[in-house]
């Protein structure tokens, strides 16, 4: 059992925030039933709260029957709090520890975020976004009533059509469908493309939510190692021949977490093989716009009968400006539009208007250009720093947000991340990105967040103090 | 295997309706893989169709690999047919007359919208919403980066906690989870609560998207007639005893489309029976805030172990301000939070901030009060008008957006709606709200949109010109 620091919100009693965080951890199964909480003293230190505050929170949790306490022996997670019905999610985790490490990655928790999946607030062009919001709010074209257009706001889809054309993917606007975010776009596509029992191929390592989402669709998942040279293509052909996956879900350019992009020749061999074995590709292109000189996308090379394309703006504009989009073959695009209505995956015209303005008025292009440049510079520095730390970098850095580093020999990434959380630093150990032990000695670094002296000092201190070599405490 | 007669819908080719019905029976597992169909002769008698029609349908089912046939031995259910509920559903929609009528209801199409499901733009307090947006955009508290809090913005959930407390539903904030909209909240709940093959009970008639969404979850749907006195409670008990539905999904207050609200005594009998037969209730309360004096909600009466509660703001604030919420037992609330992350059903902190402001600064309460009053007045007038038109109103109008009216004898609602669309008027014929022929003579009227001379003139003209009595043009 591991208790992480809480990023307390102003204006809410800390007691309540502790109760919420602990309830979450218990009810989500992060803290195993029966496991013992750290001592009150340790907890007050970890959370930075008074003994009084902590005890009040613990009492309330006892009142909810989430905790039990026995005189002198401390507090325990109640035995009879059932595992979540969505065990899929919980069962996916090699161990509870991983969900503890994952949570801060998907929440605002953590002060230093070298493991984070987004750009820092001060890198984003908040002013341009606020400006776009202001003009949208002013505009009479903003319809307050109504659900907007099922396929997505037409002017936005036309702007996307132009953007895609510039990237070598020319499609009728009818085949461009907006979705609220990329995970939901993927989720709706899987509902249309994957049938329970199908086999789906993933990269190892890959974005952890790919595993989590596929678990919802009752498909069998197989993985192939993503390497600097793409794959071991013989291994790929063997997998395709033996398991006959109906889908391959991948991030083609600036792959999360490795930063790898398929070269044209790698893409060609991949497309040849998947076509030969009737394996449809779902191409996630969430990071491509961060590449200084992106290689052709798979969809642009092979067309939409073989590749369905997904992208969005959460990484470059804002995770809170929820507009992503899917580019698909005509029938699939029509089905996706119906799926949006049936599953509530409709997009907000307000956000569509905001993104439309930023695309059509050029502020997106300007901002993107700045991001690409700034990332290249930070990436170069972080590469050097990681090497000085004794890390090996299997992939040459070619831009974007992520560097995938092999930690110095003997360093345990999960323990390192665990210790880092106590210093409210969020790391992304390799184990989060797949179950292949081969990733456990690696770690994903966000170059924007890692290019900070404070981050580097804390990380170096952790390495030096050798905490990571220590063996994990039993029962985590 | 049992093949039941099909209640054929006018205006849709019988071949297609047979294919639809058989596909459902096969894909839902109702007809076991490998089982033999009755002879062609028996089938033509059961269905009352020509041998030609039947054979065409059987050919199309063979084309979909749902049926196999072997010379002289007849037709068999294919051995290996997965259950892509979504695919069949979406494949059917395009040619389906009902979807033609449904589409304008969920889009901005149509100039006159007496059938619409939303309030008119000029009824909504656009200025208050824009004002809230402006202050949110100004506020430093708006985080551009990051995904927000998985369970939902805490201050908003605290404001909802207060609101619910005022409605007799007192819950810890941990059990209030925001969702982007109510359909998606329902969709995520169904993924957690319903298993393929489960039986789910719906009202007849009910919101058409309930049927559409449940089709995604591979559940068997049964219905019970919603009546002024609630139900025929003997029929309800019989259904519960015979089909053992695991869930009952209903709109308890100002039911869409009938406008009916469960009285306390009706609610009591309903809760008694469903509890006795272990049928969990999912209570949709999207309209309750439009009731001048809403009766207690089911969740408030029976508690969250028996009832899971769903509500939102799309009807009173704006369909474009996407914040709904689920109130659930602790475990389910925790699982729903994970489901939000896994399926991309995360909410936008921007919208959460907007709704939080309107709730906490009182503009929501003021606006709601105005809406309730204005609807009561319009509703009274529209009631009178509909009676003058020769409609019967089974339910007494008690407020809200909808009046359910039985059309004058002989009037065909679907044809009326088809003709109305040609005059860019959107009607909502009863057939949209369920497959029960009993609804086909009825129609849902939005009192806000129907309280307009132009709407009334066009509708009366259609009735007078008797278009609705004419037989349907072939092949629509």
């Amino acid at each position: 059992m591991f208790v992480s620091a809480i990023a307390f919100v102003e204006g809410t009693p800390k007691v309540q925030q502790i109760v919420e965080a602990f309830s979450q951890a218990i009810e989500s199964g992060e803290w195993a039933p029966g496991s013992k909480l750290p001592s009150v003293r340790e907890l007050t230190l970890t959370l930075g709260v008074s003994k009084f505050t902590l005890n009040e929170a613990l009492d309330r949790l006892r009142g909810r029957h989430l905790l039990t306490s026995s005189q002198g022996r401390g507090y325990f997670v109640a035995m009879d709090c059932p595992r979540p019905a969505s065990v899929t999610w919980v069962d996916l985790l090699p161990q509870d520890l991983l969900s503890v490490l994952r949570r801060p990655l998907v929440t605002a928790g953590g002060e230093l975020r070298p493991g984070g999946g987004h750009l820092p607030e001060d890198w984003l062009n908040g002013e341009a976004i606020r400006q776009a919001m202001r003009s949208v709010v002013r505009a009479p074209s903003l319809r307050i009533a109504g659900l907007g257009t099922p396929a997505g706001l037409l002017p936005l889809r036309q702007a996307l059509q132009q953007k895609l054309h510039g990237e070598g993917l020319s499609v009728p606007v009818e085949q461009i469908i907006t979705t609220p975010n990329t995970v939901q776009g993927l989720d709706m596509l899987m509902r249309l493309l994957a049938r329970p029992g199908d086999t789906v191929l993933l990269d190892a390592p890959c974005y952890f939510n790919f595993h989590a989402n596929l678990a919802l669709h009752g498909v069998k998942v197989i993985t192939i190692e993503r390497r600097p040279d793409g794959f071991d293509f013989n291994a790929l052909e063997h997998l395709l021949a033996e398991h006959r996956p109906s889908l391959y879900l991948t991030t083609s350019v600036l792959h999360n977490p490795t930063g790898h992009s398929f070269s044209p020749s790698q893409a060609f061999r991949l497309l040849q093989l998947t076509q030969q074995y009737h394996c449809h590709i779902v191409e996630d292109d969430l990071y491509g716009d961060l590449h200084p000189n992106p290689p052709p996308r798979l969809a642009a090379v092979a067309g939409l009968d073989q590749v369905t394309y997904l992208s969005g703006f959460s990484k470059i504009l804002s995770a809170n400006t929820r507009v992503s989009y899917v580019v698909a073959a005509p029938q699939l695009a029509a089905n996706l539009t119906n799926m949006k209505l049936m599953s509530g995956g409709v997009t907000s015209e307000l956000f569509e208007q905001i993104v439309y303005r930023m695309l059509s008025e050029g502020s997106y292009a300007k901002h993107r250009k700045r991001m690409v440049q700034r990332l290249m510079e930070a990436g170069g520095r972080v590469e050097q720093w990681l090497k000085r730390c004794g890390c090996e970098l299997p992939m040459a850095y070619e831009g974007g947000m992520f560097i995938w580093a092999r930690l110095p020999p003997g360093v345990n990434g999960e323990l390192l991340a665990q210790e880092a959380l106590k210093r409210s630093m969020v790391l992304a150990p390799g184990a989060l990105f797949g179950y292949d032990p081969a990733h456990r000695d690696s770690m994903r670094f966000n170059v924007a967040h890692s290019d900070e002296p404070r981050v580097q000092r804390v990380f170096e201190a952790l390495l030096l103090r050798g905490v990571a070599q220590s063996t994990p405490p039993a029962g985590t």
Side-chain angles (χ1 to χ4, degrees), chain A:
Chain A
M1 130 106 57
F2 166 70
V3 179
S4 63
I6 297 174
F8 287 108
V9 182
E10 267 181 21
T12 310
K14 284 187 173 174
V15 169
Q16 187 178 342
Q17 296 186 59
I18 296 170
V19 169
E20 174 165 14
F22 282 25
S23 306
Q24 231 342 295
I26 293 168
E27 289 164 349
S28 68
E30 280 172 27
W31 295 354
S35 56
K36 187 175 187 306
L37 261 68
S39 72
V40 168
R41 202 178 148 290
E42 285 174 77
L43 287 173
T44 52
L45 293 175
T46 315
L47 302 176
V49 298
S50 72
K51 200 170 165 206
F52 174 81
T53 302
L54 179 71
N55 282 327
E56 194 175 330
L58 293 173
D59 284 345
R60 280 176 58 181
L61 288 159
R62 238 191 359 220
R64 297 232 176 100
H65 311 293
L66 292 175
L67 290 182
T68 61
S69 71
S70 78
Q71 212 33 267
R73 297 192 40 248
Y75 288 86
F76 298 80
V77 176
M79 285 307 295
D80 53 5
C81 44
R83 298 275 288 181
S86 66
V87 272
T88 44
W89 170 267
V90 176
D91 289 355
L92 266 176
L93 307 172
Q95 43 176 287
D96 288 351
L97 172 61
L98 289 188
S99 69
V100 179
L101 298 177
R102 179 183 291 113
R103 185 160 297 273
L105 284 180
V106 292
T107 65
E111 194 188 349
L112 307 171
R113 306 181 57 77
H118 293 280
L119 290 170
E121 184 89 20
D122 60 5
W123 279 53
L124 298 172
N125 193 347
E127 193 32 49
I129 293 171
R130 287 166 192 268
Q131 179 47 49
M133 288 181 188
R134 277 190 291 268
S135 41
V136 166
V137 171
R138 269 197 305 274
S141 57
L142 174 60
R143 288 176 298 184
I144 298 295
L147 267 178
T149 320
L153 186 70
L154 188 57
L156 170 62
R157 285 157 61 218
Q158 287 162 335
L160 291 172
Q161 185 182 30
Q162 272 187 30
K163 180 178 188 297
L164 291 162
H165 181 74
E167 291 155 13
L169 182 56
S170 303
V171 286
V173 74
E174 295 73 22
Q175 291 173 241
I176 304 170
I177 309 297
T178 61
T179 67
N181 57 66
T182 308
V183 173
Q184 193 166 4
L186 171 66
D187 186 58
M188 290 191 284
L189 279 176
M190 285 299 149
R191 288 176 128 177
L192 293 167
L193 292 173
R195 295 165 182 213
D198 281 0
T199 298
V200 177
L201 178 63
L202 290 179
D203 297 311
C206 73
Y207 173 44
F208 49 74
N209 229 352
F210 286 172
H211 286 280
N213 184 264
L214 288 181
L216 294 178
H217 302 282
V219 297
K220 182 175 160 232
V221 172
I222 59 174
T223 63
I224 178 147
E225 189 191 359
R226 184 81 173 251
R227 310 194 313 190
D229 59 354
F231 316 96
D232 172 341
F233 280 93
N234 296 328
L236 176 60
E237 174 151 26
H238 180 75
L239 273 176
L240 292 169
E242 188 185 343
H243 297 279
R244 298 286 169 161
S246 59
L247 295 168
Y248 169 47
L249 169 60
T250 188
T251 307
S252 53
V253 175
L254 296 178
H255 171 251
N256 176 11
T258 67
H260 174 267
S261 306
F262 289 121
S263 71
S265 66
Q266 291 166 2
F268 179 70
R269 292 190 63 187
L270 168 64
L271 291 166
Q272 250 183 337
L273 281 171
T274 48
Q275 184 170 49
Q276 181 184 337
Y277 290 97
H278 307 293
C279 176
H280 186 81
I281 296 178
V282 175
E283 177 179 33
D284 160 41
D285 188 34
L286 198 50
Y287 301 94
D289 275 2
L290 293 175
H291 196 293
N293 176 26
R297 311 302 199 278
L298 301 176
V301 176
L304 296 169
D305 289 333
Q306 193 184 344
V307 183
T308 300
Y309 178 93
L310 264 160
S311 189
F313 298 96
S314 57
K315 298 300 178 177
I316 299 188
L317 289 184
S318 159
N320 257 323
T321 308
R322 295 286 163 68
V323 179
S324 290
Y325 56 102
V326 169
V327 186
Q331 185 58 53
L332 182 55
N335 292 346
L336 182 62
T337 303
N338 286 326
M339 180 61 69
K340 283 172 70 174
L341 298 173
M342 293 163 72
S343 67
V346 283
T347 42
S348 161
E349 195 165 290
L350 174 62
F351 286 149
E352 291 179 326
Q353 297 261 14
I354 291 169
V355 172
Y356 166 62
R357 270 163 204 272
M358 300 193 71
L359 283 178
S360 57
E361 289 164 9
S363 60
Y364 175 78
K366 275 201 220 74
H367 173 58
R368 167 189 172 179
K369 203 154 167 247
R370 268 197 306 277
M371 287 301 97
V372 168
Q373 188 50 39
R374 207 170 158 184
L375 282 169
M376 283 305 286
E377 289 160 13
R381 287 189 293 267
V382 172
E383 252 191 330
Q384 296 316 312
W385 168 65
L386 286 169
K387 285 175 179 164
R388 284 200 304 277
C389 293
C391 296
E392 266 180 63
L393 311 185
M395 311 271 179
Y397 178 75
E398 41 179 318
M401 217 184 291
F402 300 130
I403 291 180
W404 183 244
R406 188 170 299 116
L407 296 165
V411 174
N412 176 318
E414 283 130 278
L415 290 176
L416 198 65
Q418 214 180 128
E419 286 302 316
L421 272 184
K422 293 185 188 158
R423 294 153 177 75
S424 76
M425 178 162 93
V426 178
L427 291 172
L432 290 181
F433 302 98
Y435 317 121
D436 181 345
H439 314 139
R440 295 185 159 256
D441 63 357
S442 298
M443 193 170 265
R444 183 190 74 180
F445 290 86
N446 179 315
V447 301
H449 285 282
S450 304
D451 189 34
E452 273 184 43
R454 271 180 68 213
V455 167
Q456 300 185 356
R457 272 199 307 278
V458 175
F459 184 79
E460 287 163 17
L462 286 169
L463 277 184
L464 284 175
R465 286 191 44 251
V467 289
Q469 276 85 344
S470 69
T471 51
T476 48

